[in-house]
Amino acid sequence: MLEISTEEKLQERIKELTCLYDISKIISRNEPCSDAILMEICEISKIAWRFPSESIVELKLNNFYFTTSELPQEAMFQISQIDLFEKESGFIKVLYPTDERFYFLDEEQKLLDKIALEISAYVEKNINKEKEKQFQRSVARVDRLSILGEITAGIAHELNTPLGNILGFAELIKEQNIDKQVAQDISKIINASIYSREIVKKLMFFSCEMPQNMEVVLIKPIVVEALSLLGPNFKKAQVSYNLTFDNPELKAQIDTIQLTQILFNILINSIYVAPENGVISVEVYSENNDFYIEIADEGTGIPEEIKSKIFEPFFTTKPIGEGSGLGLSVVHGIIKSHKGDIIAIDNQPKGTIFQVRLPLNS
């Protein structure tokens, strides 16, 4: 390496400080981390080296990869590792074509290490910020659902007794009645009462007010039976299904009827949105102390703006008369009572995956 003058050393230090200042300005903008920002950091870094017209910056960070120009077949380089949350996640590298005219300074390696640290801190901050937002949304949703659960439990208890009376007296009148018109009217009252009682039952499921019969059972027969019972629904919609188990002998402590209720409500929704000749995938697997049921459809998917509302009672995107908006709220209530959780994930290339996590032992 050739000896450089004091003036040249000063110029190099100015370039390095300018580089760090410009990078800090980008980071301080508080913009979400993006490929464009990482590329901008690379371009800024390039000009801080001794021979900027020949230097090439290469950056790899998880799935992101970028070079400021095409890499030469033979090159010499300086490199610095990038860690995210104490785990190696990539590197930043500065290269020159192999040529005795070009060389690196020791101070440039220190600069590269600082740039790697700046990138690491910036990306970690963005990841933490996004996690915090998701947590706040999750807490807000749980609070809303908890309040709604208390309200619906109260409504269900208040409606249960009068509905029982209406149904009981209507059936008594029907037994003693001989008038044809009255019989027709009474039948309407009975049918409406039964329908209303089912709504009340769903409200009680949502608020976890229904008694549970927890027992250790095989999971596969429950899933197979639910799919079999929904066979006419699949046939009518011209939709098929694919069922996979990582362990056909999987057992869990669960309420069989309530697990069936979970499967029915999610599958009926999946069939409703599935395109003709579509396939609904049902996958059951276990990890550690939990088991998972994933039901994936090929529908239009759930818009991001309503994902936080789909488990709320009475929320529905179906036309009036085609849904009460209680199906997924019932599912949420049952899963919550089993100490599990449910999330909706975007399916690829389209559709939705409902992922249900339940403990193997409650």
Side-chain angles (χ1 to χ4, degrees):
M1 183 183 75
L2 298 174
E3 188 69 29
I4 61 174
S5 67
T6 303
E7 184 180 350
E8 286 176 315
K9 285 182 179 179
L10 181 59
Q11 288 174 347
E12 292 304 311
R13 296 298 79 74
I14 292 171
K15 283 164 62 178
E16 291 166 10
L17 290 171
T18 302
C19 170
L20 289 173
Y21 175 71
D22 288 342
I23 289 173
S24 70
K25 276 202 304 183
I26 294 171
I27 292 172
S28 65
R29 293 200 300 244
N30 286 323
E31 295 177 5
C33 185
S34 66
D35 291 355
I37 287 177
L38 293 175
M39 289 162 65
E40 190 175 352
I41 290 173
C42 290
E43 295 292 352
I44 289 170
S45 302
K46 172 182 165 65
I47 58 177
W49 260 250
R50 174 76 171 141
F51 307 100
S53 60
E54 300 297 330
S55 66
I56 302 168
V57 176
E58 181 183 12
L59 175 61
K60 186 181 186 312
L61 185 58
N62 292 332
N63 294 326
F64 174 83
Y65 180 79
F66 175 73
T67 60
T68 52
S69 57
E70 188 176 345
L71 298 178
Q73 288 185 346
E74 293 184 10
M76 51 184 178
F77 60 86
Q78 289 178 320
I79 186 170
S80 186
Q81 180 177 307
I82 300 174
D83 294 334
L84 295 180
F85 305 105
E86 300 182 355
K87 181 180 177 182
E88 184 178 348
S89 302
F91 62 82
I92 184 167
K93 188 187 290 186
V94 178
L95 307 95
Y96 287 132
T98 303
D99 190 315
E100 61 182 12
R101 293 174 299 166
F102 309 129
Y103 53 87
F104 291 108
L105 305 174
D106 292 339
E107 289 81 2
E108 289 174 334
Q109 181 62 56
K110 294 176 184 177
L111 173 62
L112 193 62
D113 293 341
K114 288 178 184 176
I115 292 171
L117 286 172
E118 289 284 356
I119 292 171
S120 175
Y122 171 62
V123 175
E124 285 181 356
K125 182 181 176 183
N126 272 266
I127 292 171
N128 284 330
K129 193 181 291 184
E130 185 57 35
K131 284 182 178 177
E132 187 179 348
K133 284 181 183 177
Q134 289 176 355
F135 176 73
Q136 288 173 348
R137 286 197 295 267
S138 177
V139 168
R141 183 169 68 83
V142 169
D143 286 345
R144 287 199 306 273
L145 290 172
S146 177
I147 294 166
L148 284 166
E150 292 174 13
I151 293 169
T152 52
I155 293 171
H157 283 298
E158 290 296 324
L159 288 175
N160 220 15
T161 301
L163 278 172
N165 290 335
I166 292 169
L167 185 57
F169 282 113
E171 287 175 341
L172 184 63
I173 293 169
K174 185 177 181 180
E175 288 176 8
Q176 299 175 355
N177 173 65
I178 56 171
D179 185 278
K180 187 178 179 180
Q181 183 59 49
V182 172
Q184 290 177 353
D185 293 339
I186 289 297
S187 293
K188 290 178 182 177
I189 293 171
I190 290 172
N191 290 335
S193 299
I194 292 171
Y195 175 77
S196 300
R197 195 168 61 175
E198 287 301 310
I199 295 291
V200 168
K201 193 183 291 183
K202 287 182 178 181
L203 288 170
M204 293 178 78
F205 267 124
F206 170 73
S207 59
C208 307
E209 292 288 322
M210 294 295 289
Q212 289 180 329
N213 179 27
M214 305 293 283
E215 54 185 350
V216 176
V217 294
L218 281 167
I219 299 301
K220 186 173 182 179
I222 301 171
V223 178
V224 170
E225 185 180 8
L227 288 165
S228 177
L229 289 170
L230 287 171
N233 300 65
F234 280 100
K235 187 175 181 180
K236 184 179 178 181
Q238 297 183 51
V239 175
S240 59
Y241 65 83
N242 180 40
L243 174 61
T244 56
F245 267 83
D246 73 340
N247 176 15
E249 302 302 316
L250 176 69
K251 290 184 178 181
Q253 188 177 14
I254 202 158
D255 185 304
T256 302
I257 294 172
Q258 292 190 349
L259 178 57
T260 303
Q261 186 88 20
I262 291 170
L263 294 165
F264 264 47
N265 281 320
I266 298 177
L267 285 166
I268 285 169
N269 279 350
S270 297
I271 293 169
Y272 181 84
V273 300
E276 194 173 303
N277 299 319
V279 178
I280 293 172
S281 298
V282 182
E283 183 180 1
V284 183
Y285 60 94
S286 59
E287 284 183 6
N288 301 322
N289 298 318
D290 301 305
F291 77 98
Y292 294 79
I293 301 173
E294 291 188 357
I295 299 175
D297 63 59
E298 299 172 338
T300 55
I302 302 171
E304 197 64 38
E305 61 270 18
I306 67 170
K307 272 186 182 175
S308 62
K309 301 177 182 178
I310 59 174
F311 299 110
E312 295 177 4
F314 308 114
F315 179 82
T316 181
T317 57
K318 295 177 182 177
I320 294 171
E322 289 192 26
S324 63
L326 287 171
L328 288 179
S329 64
V330 167
V331 166
H332 180 273
I334 295 171
I335 292 170
K336 178 182 170 187
S337 71
H338 280 76
K339 300 175 184 176
D341 52 54
I342 178 172
I343 56 173
I345 310 166
D346 291 337
N347 196 9
Q348 300 298 332
K350 62 177 182 176
T352 301
I353 301 172
F354 281 98
Q355 184 190 77
V356 176
R357 180 194 65 81
L358 293 166
L360 291 169
N361 296 293
S362 298

